[in-house]
Structures are given as structure tokens and as C-alpha cells.
Amino acid sequence: MMTKNPLIHTLESRIEATRQEMIKIGLTKGLQHPETIKLSQRLDLCLNKYNRLKSH
């Protein structure tokens, strides 16, 4: 059995937390609110890192 890379595990947790926060802010403040956009950009960065790690 292969153990999961701790960085991948951390990124998965961060991705889920950021996604949940972005949804909450998007629903309360709107999708065009700067805070929602900032969270979306942060989520994109995390997903890009995650995908790079998973592809190697």
C-alpha cells in the first residue's frame, strides 16, 4: 500500500476549505465581490499545484 504524499494531503484539505469559503462568500456577497474573486484565484493556484504534483 502506497502512503499519500503529505503535501498532496495538505493541498487537498486547503482546496476543500478554500472551495467551501468561496461558496459561502459568493452566496452572501455575490460572485463579483473582490473577496470571492480572491478566493477563486487562491483556489486556482492550489488546484494548479495539486495537478502538477499528481502528474509527477
Side-chain angles (χ1 to χ4, degrees), residues 43-55:
L43 180 59
D44 286 345
L45 290 173
C46 289
L47 287 168
N48 289 338
K49 282 183 189 178
Y50 179 82
N51 287 328
R52 278 194 304 273
L53 283 171
K54 290 291 277 189
S55 69

Side-chain angles (χ1 to χ4, degrees), residues 27-53:
L27 289 172
T28 58
K29 296 184 178 182
L31 299 178
Q32 297 300 317
H33 190 276
E35 195 173 342
T36 307
I37 293 169
K38 183 178 179 181
L39 287 165
S40 176
Q41 292 169 339
R42 184 180 302 156
L43 180 59
D44 286 345
L45 290 173
C46 289
L47 287 168
N48 289 338
K49 282 183 189 178
Y50 179 82
N51 287 328
R52 278 194 304 273
L53 283 171

Side-chain angles (χ1 to χ4, degrees), residues 2-30:
M2 220 165 95
T3 59
K4 191 181 279 192
N5 180 331
L7 183 54
I8 289 175
H9 180 71
T10 300
L11 277 170
E12 287 172 344
S13 297
R14 188 175 298 157
I15 287 166
E16 188 55 33
T18 304
R19 179 180 288 129
Q20 291 300 320
E21 186 178 1
M22 182 185 70
I23 290 168
K24 180 180 150 192
I25 297 298
L27 289 172
T28 58
K29 296 184 178 182

